[in-house]
């Protein structure tokens, strides 16, 4: 299997795209550190991997806290001896129109997505630089192009694309690839919560999204996980500093 002997750390790894990514890595032979804000869902996903014969470690971590992030990376290296892949899926939404958005709404989203990814990348690169190898993938979004009611989220997701490009420049000399993936509509707990907040039925919400997608279907977490896996494979060894949009169309 192409990831035999590799170690992956996935933040937000217990649910949605993060869980699909954790399971994809494990299915291809990697040991996986499943990180989530809450220990219980992290243990559930790690347990599913272990039950299938894979290697997994569950870690609770608030990615906006430096001490917690550094402890998480240290625990990963202590348990598995190395760190090959960092995938940052941890995220939240606090949507509102700009005149209604509070400073707390802004800070919470920016801290989780942008600061959290920065702290994880900073901690992971220490290990990867010493190894002279590594792959980082940041989860952006089509909302990086702008989306009504998401000033905070859009700014954070656009920032992740810029961060990936910059770190690709800085870390390339150490054989470290850094890229971003920007999903379109994907069926996750987060998009379901958006439908509920808007007062739209989940099935109707998905149907409308599919009708606005050239491929005429919605995305699944596994669709995104497959692209992340590609970016962590040797097939993408000359790809760095890029953002791949995975949205069922242009």
């Amino acid at each position: 299997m192409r990831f035999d002997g590799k170690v992956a750390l996935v933040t937000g790894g217990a649910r949605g795209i993060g869980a699909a990514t954790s399971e994809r890595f494990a299915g291809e032979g990697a040991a996986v550190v499943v990180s989530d804000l809450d220990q219980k869902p992290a243990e559930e996903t790690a347990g599913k991997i272990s039950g299938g014969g894979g290697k997994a470690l569950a870690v609770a971590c608030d990615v906006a806290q430096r001490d917690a992030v550094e402890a998480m990376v240290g625990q990963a290296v202590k348990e598995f001896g190395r760190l090959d892949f960092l995938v940052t899926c941890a995220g939240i939404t606090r949507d509102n129109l700009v005149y209604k958005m509070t400073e707390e709404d802004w800070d919470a989203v920016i801290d989780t997505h942008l600061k959290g990814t920065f702290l994880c990348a900073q901690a992971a690169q220490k290990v990867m630089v010493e190894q002279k190898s590594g792959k980082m993938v940041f989860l952006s979004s089509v909302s990086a192009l702008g989306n009504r009611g998401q000033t905070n989220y859009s700014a954070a997701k656009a920032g992740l694309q810029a961060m990936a490009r910059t770190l690709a420049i800085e870390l390339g000399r150490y054989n470290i690839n850094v890229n971003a993936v920007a999903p379109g509509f994907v069926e996750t707990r987060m998009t379901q919560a958006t439908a509920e907040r808007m007062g739209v039925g989940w099935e109707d919400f998905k149907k409308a999204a599919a009708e606005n997608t050239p491929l005429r279907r919605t995305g699944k977490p596994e669709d995104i996980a497959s692209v992340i896996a590609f970016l962590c494979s040797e097939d993408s060894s000359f790809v760095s500093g890029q953002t791949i949009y995975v949205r069922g169309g242009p």
Side-chain angles (χ1 to χ4, degrees), residues 166-183:
T166 301
L167 293 186
I169 295 168
E170 293 185 11
L171 299 175
R173 69 188 63 190
Y174 303 107
N175 193 33
I176 299 170
N177 301 61
V178 187
N179 293 287
V181 173

Side-chain angles (χ1 to χ4, degrees), residues 25-222:
F25 279 139
E28 297 202 41
V32 185
V33 179
V34 180
S35 169
D36 199 84
L37 182 62
D38 302 313
Q39 182 72 19
K40 185 176 179 180
E43 288 178 348
E44 290 172 353
T45 299
K48 183 177 179 181
I49 291 170
S50 299
K55 296 179 181 179
L57 172 69
V59 178
C61 180
D62 180 351
V63 296
Q65 302 298 319
R66 177 180 295 278
D67 289 347
V69 168
E70 291 181 349
M72 172 183 64
V73 171
Q75 193 172 350
V77 174
K78 181 179 179 181
E79 180 74 16
F80 296 118
R82 58 185 297 113
L83 179 59
D84 299 286
F85 313 139
L86 169 67
V87 181
T88 58
C89 296
I92 61 171
T93 56
R94 296 289 186 273
D95 296 350
N96 225 325
L97 296 175
V98 66
Y99 73 96
K100 294 180 180 180
M101 187 173 289
T102 66
E103 187 174 348
E104 290 74 19
D105 291 336
W106 172 269
D107 287 345
V109 171
I110 295 297
D111 283 356
T112 302
H113 292 272
L114 205 53
K115 180 183 176 182
T117 295
F118 164 71
L119 292 176
C120 289
Q122 193 175 55
Q125 63 85 32
K126 295 177 184 177
V127 181
M128 293 178 178
V129 165
E130 187 173 339
Q131 292 174 172
K132 295 293 191 294
S133 67
K135 310 271 191 180
M136 299 186 191
V137 181
F138 305 154
L139 195 68
S140 181
S141 167
V142 294
S143 291
L145 302 174
N147 195 35
R148 186 175 187 271
Q150 290 194 317
T151 301
N152 48 6
Y153 188 77
S154 294
K157 291 304 193 182
L160 290 176
Q161 297 185 18
M163 190 187 300
R165 290 178 64 87
T166 301
L167 293 186
I169 295 168
E170 293 185 11
L171 299 175
R173 69 188 63 190
Y174 303 107
N175 193 33
I176 299 170
N177 301 61
V178 187
N179 293 287
V181 173
F185 186 99
V186 178
E187 295 181 23
T188 65
R189 194 177 65 156
M190 186 178 290
T191 49
Q192 188 167 5
T194 300
E196 291 173 358
R197 186 175 62 253
M198 294 172 63
V200 180
W202 179 228
E203 293 304 319
D204 290 338
F205 198 60
K206 290 190 294 182
K207 182 180 179 182
E211 289 172 350
N212 287 318
T213 302
L215 286 178
R216 294 295 186 269
R217 72 172 180 88
T218 56
K220 304 296 190 294
E222 293 76 16

